[in-house]
Amino acid sequence: MNEYKISVPRIKLPKKFAKSPAKYLRKIVIDNAEGRGLLTPENRDEYLQRIDHEVAVFERCGYVEYLLGVAKMVEKMSLLWISYIAGRGVFSASLVFYFLGITNINPIKHNLMFSRFMPEDSPKFVEVELLIDKLLRPSRLQDLEQAIACNESDGHSVTLVASNIVGLISKVNYDIWSKCGLVLGDLSDGCYLRIPLDDAESYRSLHYGDLTGIYCLNRRRLVNELYFNPPTSFDDLVRLCAIHWHGAFEMFRENDSRYCFQEEIMRDAMACGFSESEADDLRRAVGKKQTEKLELYRPRWVAKYGEASWQTMTEQGLYAYPKAHALVLAYLAYTTAYLKTHFPEEFTRAAMRVATSDDL
């Protein structure tokens, strides 16, 4: 099994929210945030403002009831010990997705733009995709379907995609728990581990080219870059994951390489009067070299930033990568590096099992 679609259940709303599913979604999100201790006096106003904005956009594109169904589904997956991780990095731009437990990236902490996922003035419905353990028995998925079968489907689905990385991380986590009782994450959700993102030993292992089994970075062309320009922080690793797909290391190595991430193009565009959807359209046009469309947007950009800025943006923007995607890649790369560094026996055993999964 490589791909599996499960119909999203239609959630029966409490009577007082029967005519306002958006308010019910907001309540669940805030309750989850409160329960996890993630709303503090310092961030409460900022987080609530972001939640209100996202819920309003989701309501506008008819996304609310679908999200409520997805939230119920991932809750059931956790109860059934089905590990998962969001299959599209762009979901990480949503604080609502974070507080629902669909992603593990806090978009405010990492300065992600929700408009990169859903522009306020032109939101689009996007079905959720989750990665699950490639070795997961089909019977577990049947259990999941039965657990939500009592609810009528809303006509949409979640796509579950078999992935080796989910199996690798969850198996290492389980082996560590079995061996020494140390739990790095909820065993029901083995891809989202509670590990420090500033572990010097893990970054040192990347510096010396110990890349076998490291997600995303186990490519020969990265060896020299990691040796001469090693990441020493998670932000460095995010940047490295963003540029390695195109291999444009020379372009983005300099300090003035502003447009490594697509979101930077959008921010600058919105600062000179572009709407969210226009800014999103611009970054897409830059990446696809759509000359005619670029000429439509050029005057406003040049009027504020000048011709040199336009040239820099269009040159670097051709290789720009979504920061939300890069964050997910970096998290998985760092997680595998951390596990390999601190739990080499468990990591090797899990890697060997995943590598031979096709023969099992």
Side-chain angles (χ1 to χ4, degrees):
M1 181 206 69
N2 292 317
E3 188 173 293
Y4 199 91
K5 284 189 176 291
I6 294 187
S7 297
V8 174
R10 188 183 300 278
I11 302 303
K12 185 176 181 180
L13 302 176
K15 287 185 178 180
K16 67 177 182 178
F17 294 105
K19 295 183 179 180
S20 184
K23 289 183 179 180
Y24 186 55
L25 175 62
R26 182 182 187 275
K27 179 183 184 303
I28 290 178
V29 169
I30 294 175
D31 286 350
N32 287 353
E34 296 276 14
R36 293 162 61 185
L38 296 174
L39 287 183
T40 66
E42 293 76 21
N43 69 27
R44 190 176 186 87
D45 289 344
E46 180 183 13
Y47 278 38
L48 291 181
Q49 183 178 5
R50 174 78 170 246
I51 290 170
D52 288 342
H53 171 70
E54 291 189 14
V55 170
V57 175
F58 288 149
E59 185 177 27
R60 196 172 303 135
C61 72
Y63 210 60
V64 170
E65 292 185 273
Y66 175 75
L67 264 185
L68 290 170
V70 174
K72 177 61 67 175
M73 180 178 291
V74 296
E75 178 185 326
K76 296 293 186 182
M77 290 174 72
S78 294
L79 293 174
L80 293 169
W81 283 28
I82 299 176
S83 298
Y84 66 90
I85 193 168
R88 299 183 187 183
V90 71
F91 293 146
S92 297
S94 169
L95 190 64
V96 167
F97 271 64
Y98 175 62
F99 285 147
L100 289 177
I102 300 171
T103 73
N104 192 44
I105 303 295
N106 183 332
I108 292 182
K109 180 180 178 181
H110 295 286
N111 197 26
L112 295 180
M113 299 174 64
F114 180 67
S115 57
R116 173 60 182 85
F117 173 30
M118 281 196 175
E120 180 179 12
D121 51 328
S122 183
K124 295 179 176 62
F125 190 100
V126 182
E127 287 196 344
V128 172
E129 176 185 281
L130 300 176
L131 306 183
I132 59 172
D133 186 352
K134 189 174 182 179
L135 295 180
L136 188 71
R137 292 187 179 91
S139 60
R140 301 287 292 283
L141 296 176
Q142 292 170 5
D143 291 341
L144 175 61
E145 286 189 314
Q146 290 177 3
I148 60 177
C150 57
N151 299 88
E152 177 189 358
S153 171
D154 73 344
H156 295 284
S157 63
V158 166
T159 300
L160 304 180
V161 180
S163 168
N164 281 334
I165 187 62
V166 177
L168 174 64
I169 295 176
S170 60
K171 284 175 177 56
V172 176
N173 187 30
Y174 183 82
D175 283 354
I176 294 170
W177 171 76
S178 300
K179 184 176 181 180
C180 58
L182 177 62
V183 179
L184 299 178
D186 296 331
L187 294 177
S188 59
D189 188 10
C191 269
Y192 294 144
L193 305 188
R194 295 186 294 270
I195 55 178
L197 295 179
D198 58 354
D199 181 63
E201 290 185 56
S202 299
Y203 291 113
R204 195 177 302 118
S205 71
L206 296 177
H207 172 38
Y208 290 107
D210 188 12
L211 304 181
T212 303
I214 303 302
Y215 185 79
C216 180
L217 302 182
N218 55 349
R219 304 188 181 194
R220 180 170 297 180
R221 66 180 179 179
L222 287 175
V223 172
N224 287 341
E225 188 67 25
L226 285 164
Y227 185 79
F228 291 106
N229 298 282
T232 58
S233 68
F234 188 67
D235 285 342
D236 289 345
L237 192 56
V238 173
R239 183 180 177 84
L240 179 64
C241 288
I243 66 177
H244 95 280
W245 294 102
H246 295 293
F249 296 110
E250 293 295 334
M251 175 175 292
F252 292 109
R253 192 174 288 143
E254 303 299 327
N255 292 329
D256 62 352
S257 57
R258 173 168 177 75
Y259 300 106
C260 176
F261 300 116
Q262 294 175 356
E263 287 83 347
E264 299 304 330
I265 296 175
M266 294 180 63
R267 281 195 176 89
D268 282 359
M270 290 164 63
C272 62
F274 286 59
S275 68
E276 289 187 356
S277 60
E278 286 178 326
D280 189 53
D281 195 40
L282 172 62
R283 65 93 188 160
R284 191 181 296 110
V286 171
K288 295 182 178 181
K289 292 185 178 181
Q290 296 175 333
T291 306
E292 292 184 5
K293 186 173 290 186
L294 287 174
E295 286 303 313
L296 295 176
Y297 292 128
R298 181 174 181 165
R300 277 186 284 173
W301 185 287
V302 172
K304 183 174 180 63
Y305 301 118
E307 183 65 33
S309 173
W310 176 263
Q311 292 300 325
T312 298
M313 183 272 291
T314 52
E315 289 173 6
Q316 295 181 3
L318 185 62
Y319 303 97
Y321 196 72
K323 188 176 182 181
H325 288 303
L327 272 161
V328 173
L329 296 178
Y331 178 80
L332 294 174
Y334 178 85
T335 298
T336 50
Y338 182 91
L339 294 175
K340 183 177 180 180
T341 299
H342 294 279
F343 303 96
E345 181 181 337
E346 291 82 2
F347 182 87
T348 301
R349 183 163 52 245
M352 289 179 66
R353 185 180 177 193
V354 168
T356 59
S357 61
D358 290 339
D359 300 324
L360 292 179

